[in-house]
Amino acid sequence: MLETMAEESISNGFIMNPVTGSNAPVVAKKKRNLPGTPGKYSIYMTISADFSLLRIIFMVCLIPDPEAEVIALSPKTLMATNRFLCEICGKGFQREQNLQLHRRGHNLPWKLKQRTTKEVRKRVYVCPEKTCVHHHPSRALGDLTGIKKHFYRKHGEKKWKCDKCSKRYAVQSDWKAHSKTCGTREYKCDCGTLFSRRDSFITHRAFCDALAEETARVNAASGMHSLAADNFNYQLMGNPLDTAMPQHFSTVFKPISSNDETIDQTRRGFSLWMGQASQGHDSFGKSTLQEIHQFGSLNPGSVYGDPMVSIPNPPPSDYQLNWVFGNKVSSGNAEDHQLTSTSLPLSNVKENGPQLVSVPSLFSTQHQSHQTPAFSMSATALLQKAAQIGATSTDTSFLGSFGTKCSNSQVQDGNKYSDLYVSNTPTATIQGSNLENSANDVSTLNQLQMYPAKRRRMPNEDGGSGGGKTRDFLGVGVQAICHPSSINGWI
Amino acid sequence: MKVSSAKVSKESKGHGGHHKNSLHSKRWSHHSILPLQLADQLDQWSSVTVDMYNNHHQPQTSHTSTSRSSDYSAGGGDNGEPSGTGNKWASRLLKECARAISDKDSSKIHHLLWMLNELASPYGDCDQKLASYFLQALFCKATESGQRCIKTLISVAEKSHSFESARKLILKFQEVSPWTTFGHVAANGAILEALDGEPKLHIIDISNTLCTQWPTLLEALATRNDDTPHLKLTVVVTANIVSSVMKEISQRMEKFARLMGVPFEFNVISGLNHLGELTKEALGVLEDEAVAVNCIGALRRVAVEKRPALIQMFRSLGPKVVTVVEEEADFSSTRYDFVKCFEDCLRFYTCYFEMLEECFTATSNEKLMLERECSRGIVRVLACDDDQDNEGECERRERGSQWSERLKEAFSPVGFSDDVADDVKALLKRYRSGWALAQPHQNETGLYLTWKEEAVVWVSAWKP
């Protein structure tokens, strides 16, 4: 939750300077207007600074009133209900006031206790359970009902069970509240699909292409450099940075069949891929995009001549709108249909899980030594690779050719950008981002997706500011980024 | 599938072109058949069958408790079908053919194969579909071309499979039918309970459901505990699943685990020809891990003789819990009796196809794909000799009680808690009616999923 708060605060353009004495790991907090500022880094630090600050604020609210009277009730007392009994009908009430009001109905003398004029000391209650956090007076709760409910919820037996989803509750009111909404609540995935069932929502979400988006956000918040590719332990893949990639590629992307007879047939089906991988750079960019999408839409239906059945997703008109808010609209069918055009914005291509790396794949295929297939790399691996490559070379000619190559597909990108963002020159923007290190491009786009509502562009690294002193979080030197952006960098 | 049926039609099509006298002739010719003749033939054969093969006539037990009245609407454009066909004609013809094959009565075999070919279609109603897929298997059995057929089917399937299609298929299936999710919910419940409180979990997953079981488990791990344990998931892939699909899946699972905030490690073991090759070392089980073994539709893929060894190997891993989900059918004890095996096979797949028919819409692409997936299994069971090395894969299902016998050699059963049973019941409520949870008989363990009162899926949990 705090992360969301942090994001929201940023989205409002609210960047705070860290409070002195805060334990935010701010190394060199530079003002953003200065040239040579590694803007991404400063934002990155800003995020963590804000986070710590917000945490401090949050904690401050929780300091208890030292004057309050601490009451420790026994479990029995807490669980007792209806202590006040009417002598006539035996009805039980939780509060004495309620009993008095009830006695009115029996025409009995009743008296409502007035609030005493003397200063009433605030009462706080502690949980009788010793192991509980709220056992300590500093974490006492201010409300009797609150402590009762807490006790039941945390330390009580869950007696109430929802019929539909079999979720269990210890407090009856919780259960009632849940039953009202159970089954009525709809879950919406980032891709736009609605679910009435939580379990099918979760399963869908895990496999949905929109997940790429989410993890970009999570990654940036938690520090991408810490998510090493150690976790990614796919035995067949090997090291994606291995120069022996071509062979892996062929084993990975040809369907594993232990039969030599069938290889011919399968080879035909995948010859597109083989061809693309070993092809020269020039036509790779655009045609790969085509191939990717065609491949994505290849399905048994087409093999057997059956057309794909209905598209369950929102119509294309929502596409741009959803994209604004960092959502990916298409999933499954829709994506196959929508993405068959060649002039796709590059970032949308990126959002397809495996096709996430189409930008860096263009990047990587420029290098003779890296025959990386288009979508073989996870975001993590790609960033590592980019970091490696970026750290070693600044190949201006490469960057130049990269720029031109991307320009076609990026123009669309630019159009979209210009709709959503204030920018002076759409193409200039794109040119700027083209000529960056592609790793930064990826993270740029990632962060763009992270804060889509903000009308600001991720800053480009402007020309070198003192060799080696400023490095962005990938450890890539700033001087690797050459082009002083024509964007009116307002970062 | 199309390839082999084309073969069938080419070879057997002409045979019925001649009138009834040629029934006994073995010459093949290419001649088209008029519907009326076909109807006559069918009727005649039905009556002839009753007369001549009376001793073989078996009572028409309807294994499915609801006999769906499938309107037999002209599978081959036939009008004026005699009422002799009507309901369940496929079942009758197929059984006749199986018997003929078992008796090695080649003329009858030829004729029945031809008739089935005329009437069958993978795009028709249930009867026609069953006729189509079983015809393929019977043909392979009669011509002893099972291995070749399997290879063709596999290569066709691999070409058309992609992550996208597989994902779409299984998610859709899980949306309309609890066939797979039943096992998932029960197994997850058992695993969570058995591994409760452990800081390091290692789940060995041998299943055919492409890891769709695990998102809900990850979510449960993330939300139910204050301290989320570390989960290592080792997935053992059988040769059927294309490796690019697994790669995609691994990426998604890792991303999802990150999203959920569960420390996660994902390993894939592939390249195994069959599960019998699995070894303890390859799985990478560490000392301090709490191990759970999860087998969904996996044990049946092991050759019958090798099953005890595999179960012992599981035992040697020292797991806290072993969950087994299998479909209720017996193709294993009858593997030397073709007709009996065939009958149970037909019963099971009839139930399955009818279930698909009811759960999906009529024009569903996914339903078609699921039906096609069955073709390999049917051909394997009926037409492939286990002794031959058919890539080590087999599909000899066994019933829950039979699996229990095997598992009791190394494990003792664990009952499902009431909470898990409630979860399963709540799950079934979310689907259309017809599904129910059934407790096993006495001395049996596990839970059964029933479709229209017939047990179809069995789930059980075991501990050492």
Side-chain angles (χ1 to χ4, degrees), chain B residues 26-37:
Chain B
K26 291 193 179 53
R27 273 183 293 127
W28 302 107
S29 67
H30 302 273
H31 207 296
S32 63
I33 300 104
L34 294 175
L36 205 51
Q37 270 187 317

Side-chain angles (χ1 to χ4, degrees), chain A residues 160-276:
Chain A
W160 306 94
K161 194 160 199 173
C162 173
D163 212 17
K164 292 175 207 154
C165 67
S166 83
K167 223 175 156 192
R168 283 160 226 99
Y169 295 93
V171 179
Q172 187 182 12
S173 54
D174 292 345
W175 171 75
K176 263 197 192 154
H178 167 83
S179 299
K180 272 194 200 148
T181 58
C182 184
T184 58
R185 177 173 174 189
E186 295 214 306
Y187 303 91
K188 184 166 181 192
C189 180
D190 289 339
C191 66
T193 331
L194 284 172
F195 296 90
S196 56
R197 276 165 40 196
R198 186 180 164 83
D199 51 344
S200 45
F201 166 62
I202 289 173
T203 316
H204 164 89
R205 192 123 188 277
F207 290 96
C208 184
D209 296 329
L211 196 58
E213 198 87 17
E214 194 69 43
T215 51
R217 198 149 36 106
V218 173
N219 284 349
S222 64
M224 290 201 225
H225 58 277
S226 63
L227 295 170
D230 296 340
N231 284 346
F232 186 61
N233 184 5
Y234 187 69
Q235 296 185 2
L236 211 57
M237 259 306 273
N239 183 358
L241 304 181
D242 200 350
T243 49
M245 204 51 216
Q247 292 132 15
H248 287 178
F249 172 56
S250 56
T251 44
V252 165
F253 287 98
K254 237 176 13 189
I256 299 289
S257 77
S258 43
N259 263 326
D260 288 331
E261 298 171 22
T262 59
I263 283 184
D264 279 345
Q265 293 168 341
T266 53
R267 202 186 280 280
R268 240 179 304 133
F270 286 84
S271 60
L272 298 165
W273 283 117
M274 303 299 166
Q276 290 302 332

Side-chain angles (χ1 to χ4, degrees), chain B residues 320-338:
Chain B
K320 290 262 182 329
V321 66
V322 176
T323 48
V324 176
V325 178
E326 285 289 341
E327 291 164 352
E328 274 294 287
D330 180 11
F331 307 153
S332 153
S333 66
T334 54
R335 63 190 187 277
Y336 300 121
D337 181 341
F338 180 72

Side-chain angles (χ1 to χ4, degrees), chain A residues 304-379:
Chain A
Y304 290 91
D306 292 336
M308 291 297 282
V309 196
S310 61
I311 301 171
N313 292 320
S317 58
D318 287 337
Y319 185 67
Q320 188 162 354
L321 186 64
N322 284 347
W323 188 85
V324 170
F325 295 103
N327 291 337
K328 183 167 187 307
V329 158
S330 53
S331 76
N333 273 339
E335 137 190 298
D336 297 334
H337 284 265
Q338 287 178 8
L339 303 185
T340 46
S341 71
T342 57
S343 60
L344 262 189
L346 198 59
S347 59
N348 294 326
V349 174
K350 246 179 53 63
E351 288 168 11
N352 290 343
Q355 290 109 16
L356 175 73
V357 300
S358 63
V359 168
S361 71
L362 293 166
F363 171 95
S364 62
T365 49
Q366 307 299 332
H367 285 244
Q368 305 294 347
S369 56
H370 293 274
Q371 294 284 330
T372 317
F375 52 76
S376 66
M377 304 211 299
S378 69

